[in-house]
Amino acid sequence: MAPVILFCRDPLHPRRADPHFAEDVRAAREAGLRTALLDHDALLAGDAGGAVRGVPRGAGDAWYRGWMVPSGRYAELAGALAAREVTLLTPPDAYRCAHELPGWYAAFTSVTPASVWLPAGPGRAPGAPELAALAAPLGGGPGIVKDFVKSRKHEWHEACYVPDLADTDRLAAVVARFVELQDAFLAGGVVLRAFERFTGAGEARVWWVDGRPVLVTAHPDHPDRRPEPALDAVAPLVAALGCRFVTTDLARREDGEWRVVEVGDGQVSDLPRGAAPEPLFRALASADTALSADTAHE
């Protein structure tokens, strides 16, 4: 039996999928996949049981495809689905591994900017002494502030970019503003990344299913720019990560090297405007559901 794809429902029209995923729904059905709807708002509110009330009991194996979900809520989703005899092909530990930088960083250290991190909760920015100690291994120079999942690059100078990580006062000010703006959406803690200069060609988002690159698109922030990245150095690292459905965002550094800017769980990675989703859903339809997601993530 083909897997079921769990899409977020439209809050205004609960019997249909969120319009943002309309093309995904069409492509999934054309690929022979079953579809069902869940309530993303209820899930984020802590009502996982209510969120999956519309998912048929005994539906079997499932992929999620929808809006971003915090790792803790994803674990609750998996539990609520299991109670309905539905099994997510990406289990909670694999989702956290691909979704949060501390989970994927070790596998990609050789091809991504040097990074350090510190757990922190919403509204609690680390103090200057903690940040100075955290930044020390990066050795100064420019850096980027983000949390375990997202940055605030649209507030570049205010809450993202630090001209010199050794300037503790400036670093603390940027981190404090970042934490303030993220508010309740702060994911995991604070990450500092060494800043690398890339060409203006944009980022390529590569979609991987069971270690195979099945689709290359532009990054959603720049749908008109889609470079063609070399994947020979990245492919074995994706395989080593061991997560079944992931994305990698790649950009070319000014010295010509392809670098991994971000890794994400493919279930919550966005497709850019105008991208054809058919290859992605054909790959999900043909994925080996007999492959244990627990053993795939090592």
Side-chain angles (χ1 to χ4, degrees):
M1 184 166 59
V4 61
I5 307 289
L6 306 176
F7 288 102
C8 295
R9 75 181 192 181
D10 184 343
L12 300 179
H13 303 280
R15 293 182 178 272
R16 71 185 188 193
D18 189 300
H20 186 83
F21 300 99
E23 283 300 296
D24 290 40
V25 173
R26 177 192 58 75
R29 290 172 176 167
E30 288 180 358
L33 291 157
R34 298 170 293 145
T35 63
L37 301 178
L38 59 79
D39 186 338
H40 184 261
D41 290 341
L43 179 61
L44 293 191
D47 183 11
V52 303
R53 195 168 291 128
V55 178
R57 290 186 179 276
D61 294 317
W63 300 105
Y64 170 64
R65 181 75 186 129
W67 299 115
M68 201 170 285
V69 179
S71 297
R73 294 297 188 211
Y74 186 89
E76 294 169 5
L77 171 64
L81 289 169
R84 300 180 73 85
E85 300 177 61
V86 180
T87 302
L88 284 168
L89 290 168
T90 297
D93 64 334
Y95 177 81
R96 184 184 291 273
C97 180
H99 185 57
E100 299 183 353
L101 183 142
W104 59 259
Y105 179 74
F108 291 89
T109 303
S110 62
V111 295
T112 199
S115 304
V116 291
W117 56 87
L118 186 68
R124 297 195 298 271
E130 292 176 279
L131 291 171
L134 179 66
L138 298 180
I144 297 295
V145 173
K146 65 188 296 293
D147 65 19
F148 288 8
V149 177
K150 301 282 285 185
S151 70
R152 298 196 68 93
K153 58 188 175 184
H154 299 298
E155 292 97 5
W156 182 252
H157 293 289
E158 179 184 3
C160 185
Y161 178 71
V162 181
D164 185 358
L165 291 169
D167 181 349
T168 304
D169 289 342
R170 180 60 185 157
L171 173 60
V174 172
V175 169
R177 183 58 174 155
F178 172 80
V179 170
E180 178 187 6
L181 291 173
Q182 286 295 86
D183 197 18
F185 296 100
L186 184 76
V190 171
V191 174
L192 305 181
R193 307 250 287 159
F195 176 74
E196 297 185 0
R197 295 190 179 278
F198 300 111
T199 70
E203 296 178 24
R205 175 160 289 180
V206 185
W207 302 73
W208 307 78
V209 176
D210 289 338
R212 295 185 302 112
V214 300
L215 180 64
V216 179
T217 69
H219 190 280
D221 287 350
H222 300 285
D224 57 330
R225 287 184 256 167
R226 202 207 83 179
E228 294 289 343
L231 301 180
D232 50 331
V234 177
L237 307 182
V238 173
L241 184 68
C243 299
R244 299 195 62 185
F245 181 20
V246 300
T247 56
T248 54
D249 295 340
L250 287 93
R252 193 167 223 163
R253 201 165 55 190
E254 288 185 344
D255 64 2
E257 289 291 320
W258 285 100
R259 304 287 281 169
V260 171
V261 179
E262 194 67 72
V263 175
D265 182 273
Q267 299 176 114
V268 297
S269 296
D270 202 11
L271 280 161
R273 184 180 67 253
E278 288 81 2
L280 175 60
F281 287 96
R282 286 196 296 267
L284 293 176
S286 62
D288 185 3
T289 57
L291 177 63
S292 166
D294 291 308
T295 57
H297 173 57
E298 297 175 352

